[in-house]
Amino acid sequence: MAKPLVSSGFLQKQHSFATVSSSSSLSYPQSLLNVPQTQVTRLPNGLTIATEANTSVETATVGVWIDSGSRAENKKNNGVAHFLEHMTFKGTPTRSQHSLEMEIENIGAHLNAYTSREHTVYYAKLFSRDLPKGISILSDILQKSTLEESAINRERDVILREAEEVSKQMEEVVFDHLHATCYQESPLGFTILGPEENIKSISKQDLQEYIKTNYTADRMVIVATGKVQHEEICKLAEDHFGKLPTGSGKVKYGRPSFVGSEIRYRIDEMPTAHIALAVEGCGWSNPDHWPLLVASSIVGTWDRSFGAAGCMSSRLAQVVANNDLANSFMSFNTTYSDTGLFGIYLQSNAKTNLDDLICNVQKEWIRLALNATEAEVERAKQQLKTSLLLSLDGTTPIAEEIGRQMLVFGRRITPFEVDRLVDSVTAEEVKRVAQKYIYDNELSIVSIGPVEGVPDYNRMISSMNSMKY
């Protein structure tokens, strides 16, 4: 068996903090040094194994994170990654679909999968004693799915129904359109499910070609968290995945061009206007990622149903609440390997006030570039750190973070490092990134519903470039 390549984790000796015997006496950032170490091993075929042990629980999450998603497709096969995700559960030579389902049920496990624009994930949540079976099942469905023609044809209808359901979820629709208009003529602008004609025409050969190209050892990370032993997981991974072909290395994407543009669907019969505005952000490994996250936290998230909605720290929330401009808004910083989207998603029934709503969003963005204060930056950093830590509650969220970080950075960034990276952001940094990415830059907007009151696109651009706070 391969020896550990690295043991990732910010070790105590790398800091000047003294070792303290009782974690209760540690300050908050120091206590983050006490999180379990992430151990990482790479097999000869390039497969990476990453584990984080927690002996205080009896459960575990084990999964395979694959460095490939809908962005690895083309117009002809767009939707194949998601289609394949469905097909992996339809049986192998040794496990029929029924026996696979019964095997999972009999051990009380949960088997799940999802496809994103850059990654595909298959994982199981189970008792730690059932880890060998869980890894065996994951290996079987990923390497030996039969992909029977009859099952493929049946699954078309399932995916078409799924697409129909997604089309009713306005947030999903808006963000799909936002990607399409921001990244025109790029796979990053494709929908994950693919167009209807592709769902109806994807063939067994398309699925097999996608597997051959992308389901290779050097694009996979096996992650196990909870009550796990690194050596055991490595041995199981080598037994079940050791013969995977190495592949041709990390997916190489052409950096897409961001296109300032607009998509507007006026549907007066809808009660609520759904609007998204975005500028181009940055990729995961860009140091500007952290100041942009803090900037997004300053803008904040707000919903009319929140208690004391008009008394929140977000200035935009106060303006929106006090003037009844929207039902809700959500600031976002969506990140990919080499680009990103910084923006805001708005829902409003106040169709005659949409001009004021968008104007106030733009004013807040410009204010970040010109007048972000140390006090609000400090508050936003604390809110962001709390949110990031709370998102790691459980073996599955921890596995999610480790898997994504191993694919994106090639290592685990510990909670302590994240805390330090967020803490290092200053008001000057927030102003710098807001000036770099927001002020006088290309803007894309998607609006759906009763959106007659949304300003003309050219007027929005002109306002964005000339506005002074």
Side-chain angles (χ1 to χ4, degrees):
M1 187 173 68
K3 294 181 179 179
L5 176 72
V6 290
S7 286
S8 180
F10 230 55
L11 303 181
Q12 180 73 44
K13 65 182 181 182
Q14 292 177 275
H15 303 279
S16 58
F17 299 124
T19 302
V20 183
S21 59
S22 171
S23 60
S24 63
S25 64
L26 292 174
S27 67
Y28 156 70
Q30 287 173 302
S31 68
L32 294 179
L33 290 170
N34 285 359
V35 298
Q37 188 179 5
T38 302
Q39 294 182 276
V40 180
T41 293
R42 184 165 295 138
L43 299 183
N45 64 351
L47 180 71
T48 301
I49 302 107
T51 67
E52 182 177 299
N54 182 353
T55 56
S56 66
V57 298
E58 291 297 326
T59 58
T61 296
V62 62
V64 182
W65 272 253
I66 305 171
D67 189 23
S68 183
S70 61
R71 194 177 176 185
E73 301 169 346
N74 54 51
K75 285 186 178 180
K76 179 179 178 296
N77 71 355
N78 176 212
V80 67
H82 176 260
F83 205 120
L84 182 57
E85 172 207 317
H86 279 246
M87 291 306 303
T88 53
F89 299 104
K90 302 309 174 189
T92 71
T94 57
R95 290 180 172 96
S96 66
Q97 180 177 349
H98 176 72
S99 64
L100 175 62
E101 291 169 354
M102 289 303 298
E103 196 171 355
I104 291 295
E105 279 192 35
N106 287 341
I107 61 173
H110 297 276
L111 188 62
N112 210 340
Y114 64 85
T115 306
S116 68
R117 283 180 164 83
E118 291 191 334
H119 302 146
T120 306
V121 178
Y122 299 84
Y123 67 93
K125 299 169 64 176
L126 34 64
F127 285 113
S128 58
R129 65 173 180 264
D130 296 316
L131 279 164
K133 180 160 287 189
I135 291 177
S136 171
I137 290 171
L138 288 169
S139 168
D140 205 21
I141 64 175
L142 285 173
Q143 299 181 75
K144 299 177 182 177
S145 286
T146 51
L147 305 177
E148 293 179 356
E149 295 285 359
S150 58
I152 291 173
N153 290 327
R154 284 196 303 272
E155 208 59 24
R156 295 190 202 282
D157 291 334
V158 175
I159 298 173
L160 287 170
R161 287 197 299 272
E162 182 182 347
E164 186 178 347
E165 289 302 311
V166 168
S167 71
K168 299 174 185 176
Q169 300 171 26
M170 291 310 302
E171 183 176 336
E172 296 280 349
V173 173
V174 167
F175 276 89
D176 275 346
H177 283 312
L178 187 64
H179 281 79
T181 197
C182 289
Y183 300 116
Q184 298 174 25
E185 302 303 316
S186 164
L188 195 54
F190 294 168
T191 65
I192 293 170
L193 271 64
E196 181 178 340
E197 58 269 24
N198 282 15
I199 297 171
K200 291 179 177 179
S201 64
I202 284 173
S203 66
K204 181 175 183 176
Q205 182 180 353
D206 293 325
L207 298 171
Q208 290 172 327
E209 287 178 356
Y210 189 88
I211 292 171
K212 183 179 179 180
T213 303
N214 299 288
Y215 281 30
T216 55
D218 54 350
R219 294 188 186 176
M220 290 186 178
V221 178
I222 293 179
V223 179
T225 58
K227 192 172 184 179
V228 300
Q229 293 182 347
H230 186 72
E231 294 76 11
E232 178 192 12
I233 301 301
C234 288
K235 179 65 168 63
L236 290 167
E238 191 165 37
D239 290 344
H240 291 284
F241 290 89
K243 294 182 180 179
L244 268 174
T246 297
S248 57
K250 189 174 177 63
V251 187
K252 295 179 176 62
Y253 301 119
R255 191 174 187 279
S257 298
F258 180 92
V259 181
S261 51
E262 179 187 30
I263 292 177
R264 184 184 305 219
Y265 290 106
R266 181 178 169 184
I267 309 172
D268 290 340
E269 296 76 22
M270 288 177 60
T272 305
H274 298 261
I275 305 166
L277 292 85
V279 294
E280 184 176 20
C282 65
W284 285 109
S285 58
N286 192 314
D288 291 342
H289 169 67
W290 302 101
L292 280 173
L293 272 181
V294 174
S296 181
S297 184
I298 292 173
V299 178
T301 296
W302 174 85
D303 192 287
R304 183 180 287 162
S305 63
F306 289 172
C311 302
M312 298 180 67
S313 61
S314 164
R315 296 194 186 196
L316 181 62
Q318 294 175 26
V319 172
V320 170
N322 293 335
N323 295 281
D324 197 23
L325 298 180
N327 305 351
S328 65
F329 68 78
M330 176 187 70
S331 184
F332 60 85
N333 185 49
T334 303
T335 313
Y336 298 105
S337 58
D338 53 2
T339 186
L341 295 176
F342 179 95
I344 190 167
Y345 170 59
L346 310 138
Q347 298 183 53
S348 178
N349 289 347
K351 59 184 180 181
T352 59
N353 291 332
L354 297 181
D355 193 340
D356 286 345
L357 175 61
I358 291 173
C359 179
N360 277 288
V361 168
Q362 291 182 297
K363 282 183 67 176
E364 178 65 2
W365 280 3
I366 298 305
R367 189 188 69 80
L368 291 179
L370 303 178
N371 197 31
T373 68
E374 289 288 357
E376 66 182 338
V377 168
E378 191 61 33
R379 184 166 53 240
K381 290 193 299 187
Q382 299 308 315
Q383 293 169 348
L384 178 59
K385 288 192 289 186
T386 300
S387 175
L388 292 172
L389 276 178
L390 288 175
S391 70
L392 298 179
D393 186 14
T395 61
T396 300
I398 292 172
E400 292 267 8
E401 179 174 70
I402 293 173
R404 175 180 54 78
Q405 290 182 346
M406 293 301 300
L407 293 179
V408 170
F409 303 113
R411 70 181 187 92
R412 172 80 191 281
I413 298 182
T414 67
F416 182 89
E417 288 180 272
V418 171
D419 179 86
R420 298 295 84 187
L421 287 164
V422 172
D423 233 21
S424 67
V425 176
T426 64
E428 289 303 314
E429 280 286 283
V430 170
K431 287 189 282 189
R432 180 186 63 78
V433 297
Q435 291 168 11
K436 178 178 178 180
Y437 294 94
I438 301 173
Y439 189 72
D440 197 19
N441 275 300
E442 296 282 351
L443 173 71
S444 285
I445 179 168
V446 172
S447 56
I448 302 175
V451 294
E452 181 183 8
V454 173
D456 175 76
Y457 177 75
N458 289 325
R459 184 157 73 86
M460 283 189 283
I461 295 297
S462 176
S463 297
M464 194 74 172
N465 294 344
S466 61
M467 192 178 294
K468 298 290 186 294
Y469 183 79

